[in-house]
Amino acid sequence: MTESAVHPALWPAPRASGAVDATVTVPGSKSVTNRALVLAALAAEPGWLRRPLRSRDTLLMAEALRAMGVGIEEGVGPDGSGEVWRVIPAGLHGPTTIVVGNAGTVMRFLPPVAALADGPIRFDGDPRSYERPLNGVIDALRVLGARIDDDGRGSLPMTVHGGGALDGGPVSIDASSSSQFVSALLLSAPRYNQGVEVRHTGARLPSMPHIRMTVDMLRAVGAQVDEPETGGEPNVWRVSPSALLGRDLTVEPDLSNAQPFLAAALVTGGRVTIPDWPERTTQPGDALREIFTAMGGSCELTERGLTFTGSGRIHGIDVDLGEVGELTPGIAAVAALADGPSNLSGVAHLRLHETDRLAALTKEINELGGDVTETADGLRIRPRPLHGGTFHTYDDHRMATAGSIIGLAVPGVEIENVATTAKTLPDFPQMWTGMLGA
């Protein structure tokens, strides 16, 4: 009897029988959807989200906002163009308990919102959420005038005692473990009496594209933001108090979730088209065009979308992924199949993500016969002939897709708990087999 028969949670990763040739429509961006939900909830008038991502993380965000009194109506656009959510702001209130799962955006973006509510808001989540750093948000909110009970842990579970308003003002934080600390404070800042001035005081700030996304989305709803990118003081963001506008926003495809499908073109020497790839975006996934081209492919961006074509060879790469850390698991998977060594750096903060991604990638690729070594801030990968085996995911969606990429070229790879991909990419197994023509 096979291990997958004993453990039904094991999913045999399909091996590609040849070069893929597919068009894959990727659902909306989680990062955009959850930021848009927060901004719409804090607006002075109703707003609409078109083509939002429906996944575990975004549904947790929607349910949390509903628990605080926000109206979110789900439906389909009158022209049949896809799902539409109408967000109706309301007075925020407790008492209530918010379940964050293991969603970084929910556990970090909503405590600053809860500080504006009337009454206590308790935050709880999956066991892993207790291990993820939240001190940057907790300490900052206390400086800005909020009362929070966390028993000194700097993490979940905790209770925010909302007083209906918050003074705001200047605050210094170390956000080197997560750029979400900065985004969390900026998103609610227009509703604070004095706005907020956030000053990052720590080491290198990771995932800057996500902060640029937050700033762009704030400005789109009428907020005034001064930031380093536009001539402001380095590592300082200032948001003035103001009312926020309701928006009619169409959510971009999630470019980071396009990664495994683009990787499939690279690994198999095939071709994959992702419709509606934006010409301009703040999403970190846009960096895949450059990174995967350097690893042996080519891409063309047209009105139809992005078409990526593999050359039949995969090259190793030496790349700093500090700005786009979430892409690391997929890049590591491709690098394990390359014709030369790779060095992925700038991602020490991944040890604090859904799992310790650096340790997990090292262990799982090496157990398939690979040669991966952790460095101080990344991974060194020397390609070796790989063999089948169980690829554990640690309840991390990007580990599951990384293992699936390896499975394209290596027979006998079985993904433990592939269902964890529902965190941001519902129906991944069906999309994956559909791409392969199964």
Side-chain angles (χ1 to χ4, degrees):
M1 182 175 291
T2 66
E3 188 177 2
S4 58
V6 178
H7 301 285
L10 292 180
W11 180 66
R15 189 181 184 196
S17 58
V20 301
D21 188 355
T23 296
V24 180
T25 300
V26 177
S29 163
K30 177 202 74 174
S31 298
V32 173
T33 299
N34 275 357
R35 282 166 173 77
L37 282 170
V38 171
L39 292 172
L42 296 175
E45 56 192 351
W48 289 263
L49 273 68
R50 302 184 188 276
R51 301 182 190 172
L53 173 66
R54 174 180 284 276
S55 71
R56 187 186 188 214
D57 278 18
T58 60
L59 293 175
L60 285 169
M61 180 67 84
E63 285 305 310
L65 291 168
R66 286 187 180 112
M68 288 191 282
V70 177
I72 301 176
E73 301 173 350
E74 303 176 23
V76 177
D79 57 356
S81 59
E83 191 161 1
V84 178
W85 293 355
R86 184 170 185 249
V87 183
I88 306 164
L92 303 171
H93 61 79
T96 191
T97 295
I98 287 175
V99 178
V100 308
N102 192 18
T105 52
V106 182
M107 72 179 72
R108 291 166 181 152
F109 291 179
L110 289 188
V113 176
L116 294 165
D118 277 314
I121 310 291
R122 177 175 168 80
F123 289 82
D124 207 342
D126 296 351
R128 172 63 180 174
S129 71
Y130 294 4
E131 302 171 19
R132 300 186 68 182
L134 202 56
N135 55 297
V137 174
I138 294 171
D139 295 345
L141 287 174
R142 286 181 174 141
V143 170
L144 297 174
R147 183 161 71 92
I148 300 174
D149 292 335
D150 69 332
D151 293 332
R153 289 183 301 270
S155 62
L156 296 179
M158 69 177 190
T159 299
V160 178
H161 296 273
L166 199 69
D167 286 340
V171 63
S172 296
I173 62 171
D174 180 352
S176 56
S177 61
S178 176
S179 68
Q180 289 177 353
F181 293 170
V182 174
S183 287
L185 298 170
L186 299 183
L187 286 167
S188 292
R191 287 286 304 274
Y192 294 170
N193 295 337
Q194 302 173 41
V196 165
E197 176 188 281
V198 180
R199 183 179 299 271
H200 166 61
T201 58
R204 177 183 178 179
L205 190 59
S207 304
M208 280 297 296
H210 279 126
I211 296 180
R212 288 194 282 271
M213 177 186 294
T214 298
V215 170
D216 282 0
M217 293 183 69
L218 276 163
R219 287 173 173 159
V221 295
Q224 180 181 329
V225 186
D226 295 323
E227 48 135 1
E229 296 285 321
T230 52
E233 189 177 349
N235 289 327
V236 178
W237 293 262
R238 296 182 180 90
V239 181
S240 302
S242 67
L244 297 179
L245 307 172
R247 264 199 82 190
D248 189 332
L249 173 69
T250 299
V251 178
E252 296 175 354
D254 193 315
L255 306 187
S256 294
N257 276 341
Q259 181 182 36
F261 305 101
L262 300 181
L266 187 55
V267 168
T268 68
R271 178 176 60 191
V272 169
T273 296
I274 308 293
D276 302 319
W277 193 287
E279 286 189 25
R280 178 191 174 275
T281 182
T282 51
Q283 288 193 59
D286 195 45
L288 289 167
R289 292 193 286 162
E290 180 179 350
I291 294 169
F292 277 171
T293 295
M295 296 187 80
S298 61
C299 64
E300 181 182 17
L301 184 59
T302 66
E303 290 183 358
R304 185 182 176 208
L306 181 75
T307 297
F308 189 85
T309 305
S311 64
R313 293 192 62 187
I314 306 170
H315 306 311
I317 192 171
D318 190 336
V319 61
D320 185 331
L321 298 174
E323 296 232 327
V324 293
E326 66 191 49
L327 304 179
T328 302
I331 294 169
V334 173
L337 303 170
D339 59 10
S342 295
N343 186 52
L344 314 183
S345 61
V347 287
H349 61 286
L350 294 190
R351 295 187 170 99
L352 303 170
H353 274 224
E354 281 82 345
T355 187
D356 179 343
R357 284 179 171 165
L358 300 185
L361 287 164
T362 300
K363 178 177 182 294
E364 297 309 313
I365 295 174
N366 286 351
E367 288 194 353
L368 298 182
D371 183 358
V372 182
T373 305
E374 279 193 65
T375 64
D377 69 340
L379 299 172
R380 186 172 294 113
I381 302 170
R382 300 176 181 86
R384 295 285 186 271
L386 301 182
H387 55 72
T390 299
F391 196 94
H392 299 92
T393 63
Y394 310 89
D395 294 322
D396 185 336
H397 55 133
R398 301 209 190 278
M399 288 295 296
T401 53
S404 301
I405 292 167
I406 293 174
L408 290 171
V410 179
V413 175
E414 295 188 312
I415 311 300
E416 175 259 338
N417 189 20
V418 74
T420 195
T421 53
K423 176 181 171 68
T424 61
L425 191 57
D427 304 323
F428 169 74
Q430 293 83 358
M431 295 173 67
W432 196 244
T433 54
M435 172 194 68
L436 295 172

